[in-house]
Every structure is written in C-alpha cells, then in structure tokens.
Amino acid sequence: MSEASREQVSLGSFRPYRPRSIKLLNRLGEIGRSIGLNTAINVSKLLDGARSKTGLNDFDGEYAIEALKVLVGSINEEARLTPIGRLIQSRRLLNALIARSKIRDFLSKNQLGSDCRLNQVLLITGLQRTGTTLLQRLIASHSQFRGITAAAAFDPVAAATDRAKDTRAANRQAQLYENALSYLAPDFRKIHPVEMSAPEEDVLLLDLNFMSQAPEAMMRVPSYSSWLEQQDHGPAYAHFRTTLEILQASDPQKHWVLKSPHHLEYLDVVLEQFPDATIIQTHRDPRRTIPSFCSMVAHSFGIFSDHIDTNEIAAHWVRKVKRMLQKSRDVRASNPDRFYDISYYDLTERPLDVLAGLWKRMGMEFGDAERKSAAQCLDENPKDRFGRHEYLLSDFKLDVCAIDREFEPYRTAFDIPVES
C-alpha cells in the first residue's frame, strides 16, 4: 500500500494525507507557535504586502476589505489550519489583493471600449458533482467559446494585455498551484481535474472579492459562511463582470462559457449583471452528489488542516445545498425562459446529442467541425482518467432515506432518476 493510501484510511473522521516534508515543516511551525511566535494571518500585513509587491494602494471597494477581514477572522479563530495551511491561505489572499489593485490600476488608465463589452454568455451552474466541468469543457471546445483559465484568474490584467513578462508570471503561478495540489493531495485530481490550460471555475474571479463559497469548501469557516449569506453580492458580481470585460479584450470575438455551483445561490444577482445570459442547470441524483461533494470537501480541508470532522461537513453542506436549491427555484419561477436544463445522465451517456440540442437552442450550428472538436475533448477527458473517486454515504453519517426526504421536491421537479 502506498504512503498516500495508508494516510487516507478513514478512522471515523477524515485523516488527511501528508508528505513527510510537509509533516516536518508543520512540526517546526507548531514549535514556533508554542514559543510565542504570532502565526495568525494579519489583514494589515496582507495589505502592506500587496502594496509592496505592486506599488499600488487602491484595492477598489471597502466591501471587499470588509469581506477579507471577516474571512481572516474566521480562519484565525475557527479553521485550525496547519502552519503550511496558513502559509498557503495567506499567499492566496495576498495574490487576490495584488490582482484587485492591478485591475483598479488598469481601469484608472484605460477606458473599456466596445471591444471589451461582453459577448454572449453561457453560464453553467447546478449542484456540485453534476457534470458541470465536463459540460464546460465540451462547450469550450467550440471555436467560438472560451472559459476562464487559472492563469487568467490569478492575473486578469496580464491575460488581457498579453504583456509577456506578466503572462509568464501568471502561467508560472498557475502551474505552481497545479503542481502543489498534486504534491499535497495526490488523490484530489481523482475528484476534480485541475489543469492550468483548461477552463476553470469562474468562482476564482469572485474570490478576488473575498465573497464566494470557495473558502467554506476549503476550510472550516462557519462564521464567515453565515456572514456571507447575509450580504449584498451585487458589488462582487459587478466586479466579476468588469473583470470579464477586461479579459474580453484579449479575444474580442469569442463568447463566454462560465461555470460554478456558487452561482446557484445568487441567480438573482447573476441575472442583474448578465441580463442576456443563458443559464444552464445540470441535474443528478442527490444520493450521489451529496456524499461525493462531502468527500471532495474533506480532501480539500485535509490540505490545510489536520482536524476534519466529516459529520460537520455533511451537516453544513446538506443545509447549504437545500438553500441553493430553494433560492434558485425562486429565481427560476420568475424567469423560466432564461434556463436550459441538462441531465447528468444524458450528458455522460450521449454528450454529442446534448451539445447538438444546446446549439439548436442557441441558434448555432453543430456541424462536422464542432462535432469533431467535441469528440476530441471527450477523448482527452475520459471518466476516471486520474483514478476512481471512491466514497460512501456512511463516511459522512448520511443515509439514503434522509437524503431522499430532504431532496424529494428537487428530484420530482426535474424528473431525476435514482442512480444505482
């Protein structure tokens, strides 16, 4: 049995994998903390660090700094991160501040022209683990569509302006992220394929506002999660749209295919900022999606912390998913013509037919060239190409009857079959 396999055996609560070098660094960090070193993430130091890196002082929006303060407070008080986990999260927050200041500086020097205005937007959302990644990559295989890459999310201004030095730095950062994830959590790619050059979740752009579901999917931050649900997400989505408009300049002819389960919770704000978007919602049996995503969250928590409570993860995300479905149902009821539904089972069993139906809805051709590109995408993204993701309801003290009871209205509304 490999070291990874030995470390990831569940003993009631999830036991994260740790390379030996990371174990050593964490021990050294804990020794430092035990002798009085202050290891907490500090907002003032993050802001000073961003200023030092860029020479810029405008982070464009008090709402974002308030969100950062709430998030950092929750991380310091609740997340129980390892020293390496704190280091990674601190760096992630610093990079977001740097990107925000560069976006603000770009806007102060450049007026967005007509070539920066958004083209057509297809926005994919749905519960986690419902095929959204596959669908996004299939749509992005069309010559007229593009998604957000990790490099573009890390430095949108570099991606938009195509300055060689900045672009190389952003690509290196994205590659470092991919390599680090593979080293720290080698099983994670079995669950979600992270690849620098492939379209990624555009929640990465909302992360620049410190207002997204990403932190609660990576760490235990319950107070931040509760705070986030009570906020006005209009400013964050307005910044998101502006960032897309900046990126549009790098390839003004292509349309956008965006994707994130996060959007399901805030579709009212999505439609305010993207009034012409077509929203594609994917559907799959909650008996499979709930434990699969809880497993993904446990693996993600395990990158940053040694303390993973699988029961708490399940309770949090069952409640969260119910909230997402309720909020999306209300928006759909008022805007039925804006939505296009895709079954996970149709997508995985006859993906080319699904694409043909979508392009027909969009009034676009799905000819030989488009079919060939989609087939090539399928060949490059076979199921379980990084290994099989294995999980059980019992790993999270979940049971079929409870899930059926909680999500029967959703199953009925979209005629979702029971998945064996």
Side-chain angles (χ1 to χ4, degrees):
M1 184 182 288
S2 68
E3 181 184 0
S5 297
R6 287 196 302 272
E7 290 294 337
Q8 288 191 322
V9 174
S10 175
L11 297 176
S13 61
F14 185 83
R15 179 185 292 179
Y17 166 70
R18 287 282 178 270
R20 290 186 178 89
S21 59
I22 300 300
K23 288 181 181 179
L24 176 59
L25 290 172
N26 280 333
R27 288 195 191 106
L28 292 174
E30 291 300 337
I31 290 171
R33 188 175 66 85
S34 69
I35 62 175
L37 294 179
N38 184 0
T39 59
I41 301 174
N42 184 284
V43 173
S44 295
K45 288 183 178 179
L46 290 173
L47 293 169
D48 288 343
R51 294 185 187 104
S52 176
K53 288 280 187 181
T54 63
L56 303 171
N57 193 43
D58 189 347
F59 300 102
D60 191 21
E62 283 300 316
Y63 78 92
I65 303 305
E66 180 188 2
L68 174 62
K69 291 176 180 177
V70 174
L71 176 56
V72 167
S74 186
I75 291 173
N76 287 334
E77 296 169 13
E78 299 167 331
R80 301 178 72 182
L81 302 186
T82 63
I84 294 299
R86 282 192 296 273
L87 179 65
I88 295 172
Q89 288 299 328
S90 180
R91 183 68 190 181
R92 190 178 75 86
L93 298 173
L94 173 64
N95 288 338
L97 285 170
I98 290 171
R100 281 191 71 85
S101 63
K102 291 172 73 173
I103 290 170
R104 181 60 188 151
D105 182 62
F106 176 87
L107 292 172
S108 71
K109 297 174 180 176
N110 300 272
Q111 184 174 1
L112 294 179
S114 59
D115 58 341
C116 295
R117 300 305 174 187
L118 291 185
N119 293 331
Q120 190 172 28
V121 172
L122 292 181
L123 189 141
I124 303 168
T125 192
L127 298 185
Q128 301 88 348
R129 319 303 297 155
T130 58
T132 57
T133 297
L134 173 61
L135 181 59
Q136 183 189 34
R137 293 187 177 187
L138 282 170
I139 294 174
S141 72
H142 193 293
S143 61
Q144 296 183 36
F145 278 86
R146 63 184 295 200
I148 301 293
T149 64
F154 286 139
D155 193 339
V157 172
T161 56
D162 201 26
R163 288 194 291 262
K165 180 180 178 181
D166 291 342
T167 301
R168 286 196 299 271
N171 287 337
R172 283 196 302 270
Q173 185 179 346
Q175 189 64 63
L176 178 64
Y177 168 72
E178 182 181 334
N179 294 344
L181 182 61
S182 296
Y183 180 66
L184 294 169
D187 279 351
F188 191 85
R189 294 179 83 186
K190 295 179 182 178
I191 310 171
H192 178 71
V194 176
E195 297 168 284
M196 184 187 76
S197 59
E200 257 297 346
E201 289 206 14
D202 49 83
V203 75
L204 294 173
L205 294 184
L206 287 166
D207 275 352
L208 302 183
N209 299 276
F210 313 107
M211 295 183 70
S212 81
Q213 287 180 2
E216 60 193 294
M218 291 191 287
M219 303 170 285
R220 182 181 181 273
V221 285
S223 62
Y224 168 78
S225 176
S226 296
W227 175 87
L228 190 66
E229 291 179 358
Q230 306 305 314
Q231 302 310 302
D232 175 12
H233 286 252
Y237 269 95
H239 187 274
F240 174 39
R241 181 186 174 95
T242 298
T243 306
L244 285 175
E245 289 174 348
I246 293 172
L247 287 167
Q248 182 80 58
S250 65
D251 198 347
Q253 303 305 315
K254 286 191 177 182
H255 305 298
W256 288 102
V257 53
L258 307 176
K259 185 270 286 193
S260 178
H262 170 96
H263 300 312
L264 198 62
E265 193 170 4
Y266 303 106
L267 288 174
D268 53 343
V269 187
V270 168
L271 290 177
E272 288 175 2
Q273 291 297 324
F274 303 94
D276 299 322
T278 295
I279 299 172
I280 305 171
Q281 186 173 348
T282 51
H283 304 281
R284 186 184 181 188
D285 185 356
R287 290 187 184 183
R288 299 302 298 269
T289 63
I290 298 293
S292 177
F293 185 64
C294 286
S295 174
M296 180 176 174
V297 170
H299 279 81
S300 185
F301 275 35
I303 299 172
F304 308 107
S305 176
D306 290 328
H307 305 278
I308 297 96
D309 185 332
T310 54
N311 298 339
E312 185 178 40
I313 287 172
H316 176 86
W317 283 102
V318 166
R319 183 200 66 81
K320 187 75 167 180
V321 165
K322 286 180 64 179
R323 169 184 162 85
M324 292 164 66
L325 288 173
Q326 178 61 57
K327 292 199 68 179
S328 66
R329 185 175 69 182
D330 293 343
V331 177
R332 287 181 63 112
S334 302
N335 303 271
D337 59 326
R338 304 300 305 282
F339 288 83
Y340 186 81
D341 296 300
I342 291 180
S343 163
Y344 170 85
Y345 309 101
D346 291 340
L347 177 63
T348 54
E349 293 169 10
R350 46 187 189 88
L352 297 184
D353 291 342
V354 167
L355 277 183
L358 175 60
W359 296 137
K360 182 178 180 180
R361 158 71 181 262
M362 302 300 298
M364 298 178 64
E365 183 180 359
F366 189 61
D368 292 341
E370 291 77 23
R371 187 174 292 272
K372 182 178 179 180
S373 295
Q376 182 179 344
C377 177
L378 290 169
D379 289 342
E380 294 171 352
N381 293 274
K383 184 175 174 59
D384 300 331
R385 66 185 169 118
F386 294 111
R388 182 177 175 82
H389 174 209
E390 297 183 353
Y391 55 91
L392 295 170
L393 282 164
S394 57
D395 291 340
F396 301 92
K397 297 275 177 67
L398 295 167
D399 68 83
V400 167
C401 292
I403 289 179
D404 285 350
R405 185 169 56 250
E406 297 284 3
F407 297 102
E408 185 58 34
Y410 168 64
R411 185 193 298 279
T412 301
F414 295 100
D415 195 24
I416 300 170
V418 173
E419 184 175 343
S420 61

